[in-house]
Amino acid sequence: MPGTRWINLLVQQDCRVEGVLTETTAELAASLSLAASRRIVEADEFMRAGLYDGWLPHLFVGNLLKGQTVGVIGAGRIGSAYARMMIEGFKMNLIYYDLYQATPYGQFLKASGEQPVTWKRASSMDEVLQVADVISLHPILDKTTYHLINKERLSKMKKEAILINCSRGPVVDEEALVEHLKHNPMFRVGLDVFEEEPYMKPGLADMKNAIVVPHIASASKWTREGMATLAALNVVGKIKGYPTWSNPNAVDPFLDETSSPPSACPSIVNAKALGLPVSKL
């Protein structure tokens, strides 16, 4: 049936279930961006402490997202989905950097109705850090992205910038971040991942300008069901003796509507340990 073809395609494309994590992770990044810009957590704590005596014009003044510039580091599936949400939802302008992704976002990111937004692929990551008002991190984690955001790069960002990380904890030098938050009270951060999970670096929990949540980017009902489906397909496939589909770019067999898609298992994460073909993802 048609649905099976597309489930198969999704499975072959993504063993580590990023396919089902795309929208939910992007939504959390967008949520943290909004919460940080409007200081929602601080205001909630203020109310719960019984400190609210009446409206004041300067009470928890935050940043208006509309017309500001959002920066995306890592323009893959999640980064692209996040950019779409921020641009279509808040009419933000975009600047992004990706070491590999050079495809223009023009058609994808055009906003309709009000004044058109601008978009630009930056020539370097530092350009994004210097220009953007909100910066969301979506790179892979490897030796080139470990502590990608460090003391030097934090210093390049605007004093009232917002930094979001829903990718991998070690992408950010957490100790340097704590110091930056201490000395720049208008700088705000939203974190879903941490350098040494489940622990936070000393001082981070005390920062009023930090929103920290316990790795919940995938915590949506649809995502949990999708991950369970992929796991089940993986097990069933191996029981039936299907080979592992190790090349995520070889999708042509799944796109031919005139023939049945090939029987294959997801590219299993621990394939090497099991003596199976290793994914090139």
Side-chain angles (χ1 to χ4, degrees):
M1 58 183 178
T4 303
R5 175 182 300 279
W6 293 109
I7 289 175
N8 259 318
L9 176 57
L10 173 63
V11 172
Q12 314 316 330
Q13 280 285 77
D14 215 328
C15 71
R16 294 167 295 180
V17 301
E18 285 96 333
V20 297
L21 295 179
T22 298
E23 294 295 321
T24 188
T25 303
E27 282 187 6
L28 185 74
S31 300
L32 290 173
S33 300
L34 183 58
S37 68
R38 299 307 298 268
R39 304 175 65 180
I40 290 173
V41 174
E42 294 174 76
D44 177 85
E45 292 175 348
F46 182 82
M47 283 293 296
R48 293 176 189 274
L51 300 175
Y52 182 55
D53 292 327
W55 179 84
L56 294 171
H58 62 275
L59 194 61
F60 295 108
V61 174
N63 295 353
L64 184 69
L65 293 178
K66 182 178 180 181
Q68 299 295 302
T69 298
V70 60
V72 175
I73 307 295
R77 284 185 300 267
I78 296 172
S80 297
Y82 169 81
R84 167 175 50 80
M85 293 173 188
M86 303 306 288
I87 288 170
E88 294 180 357
F90 299 104
K91 299 297 186 291
M92 299 187 76
N93 297 307
L94 169 70
I95 184 169
Y96 74 98
Y97 177 74
D98 192 291
L99 187 61
Y100 309 103
Q101 173 64 267
T103 303
Y105 277 10
Q107 298 302 315
F108 178 60
L109 295 176
K110 278 185 178 178
S112 60
E114 301 182 31
Q115 291 296 316
V117 300
T118 65
W119 65 271
K120 174 185 179 181
R121 181 176 188 245
S123 59
S124 69
M125 189 180 72
D126 285 352
E127 184 181 357
V128 176
L129 299 180
Q130 292 165 353
V131 170
D133 301 288
V134 180
I135 297 160
S136 192
L137 306 174
H138 300 281
I140 61 171
L141 175 62
D142 59 21
K143 62 182 181 181
T144 68
T145 59
Y146 177 80
H147 283 187
L148 188 71
I149 301 300
N150 50 29
K151 181 179 180 180
E152 178 184 359
R153 288 201 164 113
L154 285 166
S155 70
K156 296 177 183 293
M157 297 173 66
K158 295 180 179 180
K159 296 298 183 183
E160 297 185 359
I162 294 170
L163 177 67
I164 304 297
N165 188 17
C166 289
S167 59
R168 295 292 184 267
V171 168
V172 176
D173 181 343
E174 220 165 281
E175 290 184 353
L177 178 62
V178 171
E179 289 303 308
H180 192 76
L181 290 168
K182 285 179 181 177
H183 294 100
N184 297 275
M186 295 309 295
F187 184 94
R188 293 190 285 282
V189 64
L191 302 175
D192 181 51
V193 289
F194 305 91
E195 192 171 347
E196 296 177 358
E197 288 190 25
Y199 308 106
M200 292 186 287
K201 292 292 186 180
L204 183 59
D206 300 323
M207 296 295 101
K208 294 293 185 182
N209 46 344
I211 298 174
V212 290
V213 296
H215 206 141
I216 58 172
S218 64
S220 64
K221 184 174 183 293
W222 185 89
T223 303
R224 294 304 191 209
E225 291 175 350
M227 292 172 72
T229 299
L230 289 181
L233 287 170
N234 195 8
V235 173
V236 170
K238 287 313 297 176
I239 290 174
K240 290 186 175 182
Y242 294 159
T244 301
W245 197 264
S246 59
N247 185 355
N249 296 313
V251 300
D252 290 346
F254 298 94
L255 302 178
D256 184 0
E257 294 292 343
T258 63
S259 63
S260 299
S263 298
C265 284
S267 302
I268 301 171
V269 174
N270 61 338
K272 187 174 182 179
L274 296 175
L276 299 170
V278 179
S279 170
K280 296 178 183 177
L281 271 172

